[in-house]
Amino acid sequence: MDGMEWMGSAMRAARAALDVATHDLANVASDGFRKAVADVRLTARGLAVATRTSAEQGAVRATGRAFDLALLGPGAFHVGDGHTRGGAFSRDRSGWLVDDRGRRLHGACGALRVSANARIDADGLVHDGGRIVDRLPLPAGTHVQAGALEASSVNAIDETLAILTAQRAFETAQKTLLAIDATREKAANEIGRVQ
Amino acid sequence: MNRAMVAAASGMAAQQLELEVVADNLANADVAGFKGAAETFADVRAGAVGLGTIAVGRHPVFIQGKLEKSGGPFDLAIDGPGFFVVERDGQRAYTRSGAFTRQADGSVRDAAGWALHGVRIPADAVAVHVTRDGAVGVDVPGKAARTVAHLRLAEFAAPEALRPLSATLFARSDGSGPPRLVTPGAQGGPSLAFGMLEKSTVSIVEAMMQILGAQRAYEANAKGVQAADEMLRIANNLHRG
């Protein structure tokens, strides 16, 4: 790889880092959102960016709604064919617990259908009418906090820094690329010019 | 850079929406029976690629407001779930705002003219009171005290899906299910408090904090748009004539 290719890979890496940081920042108000982290690695073919999801726990804030559920620990809620950590569920007219997109919350025995007085305890057990009707399939050690939501784990300051860093890295790479280009221009047009 | 710009712009739109919801809550921080609303956001992604955020829904948060003694002549508050059933021009609606007054025609109406369903107060009654189980009693000079109506409250399977008509007034919708009339005062159910009003559930301090947070998050997202724009400009300068 020559210098220009190196700088090209650095610019692509900066762009990827910016994509990740802006996506994180946009989701600073998305409950249950876990931020993505861009890891930049030096490889033989230039800088490479790998994205991973951070496992950092978001802050838990009380809402007072019975079926707002916050997860403390790893895991996710099963909703239809997907998973989410956004725990703003409510009872629909037929008693199904649904999220704001209308997807049904699933327990170990299928979609949960409960009465208005049902409650979900810290171990994810669903109590309804004095007995346990189902449980949320969660990894061992994960607790549920009812009447609360897990806020996004995004920290606006970190992401703003990441955006600035990406922008400057991009700029530096561009300047270096231009310098290399200028050197080559000299080599091509000035060295060996017949006066 | 384009992806970053779209993501950051979606973040700005989300924070703007959040501001609107909080401003609406704040405007109703002194309205009896008002329930603050919350907006839910979720991330948008195509596979592993993040594309920003989207608003997925808004719901009123039906938590109990504090009951406060009030000076109104026919003030009522609900302690527990349920709604007052009110009517105007043949239309039926549901509210938790209980600031009613006696009218000359015997009906009991709120400030917007919605009448409490099924209540008629005789013109010669000098005093009115409502018990916790909804019995409306009147005192008429020279006669024994008597009960003229029994108030019943409406409960819904999914109250959050009710269609809002105004800040505190709701109509039934397909999502909410039909109203179920319950008699207040039963064990574990709602009860009525006469001479009290239910305060708005909006906390001014909390709303101010949400506004500050949304404002800063908006600015940060705007910085994201700027950075993406700046990087496009830098990329354009790669080629020097």
Side-chain angles (χ1 to χ4, degrees):
Chain A
M1 279 181 64
D2 68 2
M4 275 199 167
E5 284 173 52
W6 274 106
M7 287 309 120
S9 82
M11 287 170 81
R12 279 193 296 276
R15 192 196 62 191
L18 181 76
D19 285 350
V20 171
T22 48
H23 175 66
D24 281 349
L25 197 51
N27 285 290
V28 73
S30 305
D31 290 324
F33 178 77
R34 293 228 153 152
K35 68 175 180 189
V37 182
D39 291 322
V40 183
R41 276 181 312 113
L42 193 58
T43 69
R45 293 177 34 227
L47 295 179
V49 172
T51 333
R52 65 183 162 87
T53 306
S54 155
E56 195 182 320
Q57 172 80 35
V60 173
R61 64 187 161 86
T63 60
R65 293 168 79 226
F67 299 118
D68 274 350
L69 307 174
L71 285 183
L72 310 173
F77 300 108
H78 294 234
V79 281
D81 50 358
H83 294 82
T84 179
R85 284 184 67 91
F89 296 99
S90 54
R91 245 179 109 243
D92 75 2
R93 60 176 292 182
S94 311
W96 301 103
L97 289 183
V98 293
D99 71 3
D100 277 318
R101 298 180 186 192
R103 298 178 299 185
R104 286 177 185 168
L105 174 63
H106 285 245
C109 316
L112 286 172
R113 191 176 187 180
V114 295
S115 76
N117 298 320
R119 66 182 182 85
I120 293 161
D121 71 11
D123 296 320
L125 299 174
V126 184
H127 298 258
D128 195 3
R131 50 195 196 89
I132 295 168
V133 293
D134 204 345
R135 55 173 272 275
L136 298 177
L138 296 170
T142 294
H143 290 288
V144 179
Q145 172 91 50
L149 286 173
E150 182 192 8
S152 167
S153 71
V154 173
N155 177 334
I157 298 172
D158 291 351
E159 301 309 329
T160 308
L161 274 177
I163 286 173
L164 287 177
T165 311
Q167 187 188 332
R168 294 304 168 212
F170 191 84
E171 207 167 353
T172 309
Q174 184 250 17
K175 289 259 156 55
T176 316
L177 211 153
L178 285 182
I180 298 169
D181 183 48
T183 316
R184 288 190 182 176
E185 188 188 11
K186 275 198 165 56
N189 297 328
E190 289 179 23
I191 301 173
R193 180 187 289 169
V194 181
Q195 294 281 342
Chain B
M1 266 96 44
N2 237 336
R3 215 156 71 199
M5 214 180 245
V6 169
S10 78
M12 288 173 76
Q15 295 305 330
Q16 196 170 355
L17 193 59
E18 172 79 8
L19 270 178
E20 282 169 25
V21 175
V22 181
D24 185 56
N25 286 349
L26 200 53
N28 291 294
D30 274 328
V31 176
F34 181 78
K35 303 293 168 195
E39 183 79 43
T40 309
F41 300 97
D43 61 321
V44 183
R45 47 177 60 249
V49 179
L51 298 171
T53 185
I54 192 169
V56 289
R58 182 181 309 184
H59 50 250
V61 181
F62 283 107
I63 54 175
Q64 177 72 44
K66 287 197 183 75
L67 302 191
E68 196 177 45
K69 214 160 195 64
S70 59
F74 204 105
D75 282 352
L76 276 173
I78 304 172
D79 188 5
F83 296 84
F84 296 112
V85 183
V86 291
E87 280 175 329
R88 191 178 72 179
D89 308 328
Q91 198 191 349
R92 190 167 282 201
Y94 307 91
T95 182
R96 283 184 67 91
S97 172
F100 298 102
T101 44
R102 261 177 81 181
Q103 306 293 316
D105 64 353
S107 62
V108 177
R109 292 175 189 273
D110 69 6
W114 289 87
L116 202 49
H117 174 67
V119 180
R120 291 252 151 218
I121 307 293
D124 52 355
V126 291
V128 184
H129 54 88
V130 181
T131 62
R132 64 187 300 274
D133 53 4
V136 183
V138 296
D139 291 333
V140 178
K143 291 185 195 165
R146 63 191 173 99
T147 300
V148 293
H150 285 278
L151 277 180
R152 291 207 290 171
L153 301 175
E155 282 190 14
F156 293 88
E160 289 179 353
L162 287 167
R163 186 164 54 86
L165 298 175
S166 74
T168 56
L169 202 66
F170 298 90
R172 62 169 288 192
S173 70
D174 286 341
S176 70
R180 192 166 53 84
L181 291 179
V182 296
T183 303
Q187 182 74 32
S191 62
L192 289 177
F194 187 62
M196 311 268 259
L197 282 177
E198 183 185 10
K199 285 176 74 178
S200 169
T201 58
V202 176
S203 144
I204 292 181
V205 175
E206 198 181 318
M208 293 307 291
M209 265 168 51
Q210 283 174 310
I211 285 181
L212 292 178
Q215 220 167 17
R216 294 298 171 218
Y218 184 89
E219 280 172 32
N221 277 296
K223 285 272 187 301
V225 174
Q226 269 175 9
D229 173 57
E230 182 69 8
M231 275 163 69
L232 281 172
R233 190 188 62 76
I234 296 167
N236 281 339
N237 285 339
L238 270 176
H239 182 78
R240 305 176 306 169

